[in-house]
Amino acid sequence: MTFNWTPYEWSCGRRLVRFWRRQNVSNMENSQQVECGFEPIDYYNQTTYLVVSCIYWRERNDYFITSVDCIYLLEGLIGVQFTVEEKNRIRRNLEGFRPLTVSKCKADCADFFKLIMGFPHPKPRNIEKDVKVFAWKTLPHALRKIIRKY
């Protein structure tokens, strides 16, 4: 998701990424396996799919996903809506992936904070407060870690 961005995506600072899930049931092992896929989508082609933002942080020359989008994505892939307690537990479990806290009060990330807060729907945040972001490259590992628990 970090390659071949369009000029529009570069100017916005984000790429919208659509995820989907397919659940396979193995009768021989009586187990279930969730398979997921993803693809970039056009800003004008947004529907009710599971869509998150891959956000480019210019000063760090790297790509990130917010903790809000990460939890939203997990809910969609697992097919459940987490309680507040579950979301808090997931956030603690994701701490091992070394998120960065983006705040309007920190000089080194204030511009990135403004970028995140300024995005239109689908918004990668809930309210205007500090937000944790994870490097996009850690997303597959984070998803596997949490999904294994469900």
Side-chain angles (χ1 to χ4, degrees), residues 6-122:
T6 67
Y8 183 74
E9 290 169 331
W10 281 118
S11 70
C12 291
R14 80 167 169 173
R15 167 177 272 179
L16 295 179
V17 183
R18 177 177 71 111
F19 281 77
W20 65 89
R21 71 185 283 261
R22 181 176 37 233
Q23 196 160 345
N24 299 322
V25 178
S26 172
N27 290 335
M28 295 188 68
E29 298 169 14
N30 199 21
S31 65
Q32 295 184 2
Q33 185 176 7
V34 174
E35 189 180 333
C36 76
F38 58 92
E39 66 184 352
I41 63 167
D42 190 279
Y43 275 79
Y44 306 105
N45 191 18
Q46 298 174 45
T47 55
T48 58
Y49 298 113
L50 185 55
V51 177
V52 297
S53 297
C54 175
I55 308 168
Y56 180 66
W57 191 341
R58 205 172 309 278
E59 291 78 12
R60 289 186 174 262
N61 192 29
D62 205 356
Y63 303 83
F64 292 85
I65 183 169
T66 66
S67 60
V68 172
D69 265 357
C70 197
I71 289 174
Y72 169 72
L73 179 56
L74 283 162
E75 286 178 326
L77 293 175
I78 295 171
V80 299
Q81 188 144 12
F82 299 129
T83 64
V84 172
E85 293 80 16
E86 286 174 310
K87 287 179 184 180
N88 289 335
R89 187 168 36 113
I90 289 167
R91 284 186 190 97
R92 285 191 301 273
N93 282 317
L94 291 174
E95 283 295 319
F97 294 98
R98 301 185 185 265
L100 300 172
T101 301
V102 179
S103 170
K104 65 180 172 186
C105 300
K106 293 181 182 176
D108 64 332
C109 61
D111 288 341
F112 191 56
F113 178 85
K114 288 178 198 166
L115 179 70
I116 292 170
M117 295 303 141
F119 286 134
H121 181 76

Side-chain angles (χ1 to χ4, degrees), residues 130-144:
D130 294 359
V131 64
K132 293 198 180 207
V133 296
F134 297 88
W136 185 266
K137 62 187 166 219
T138 66
L139 184 59
H141 310 291
L143 293 176
R144 267 189 229 101

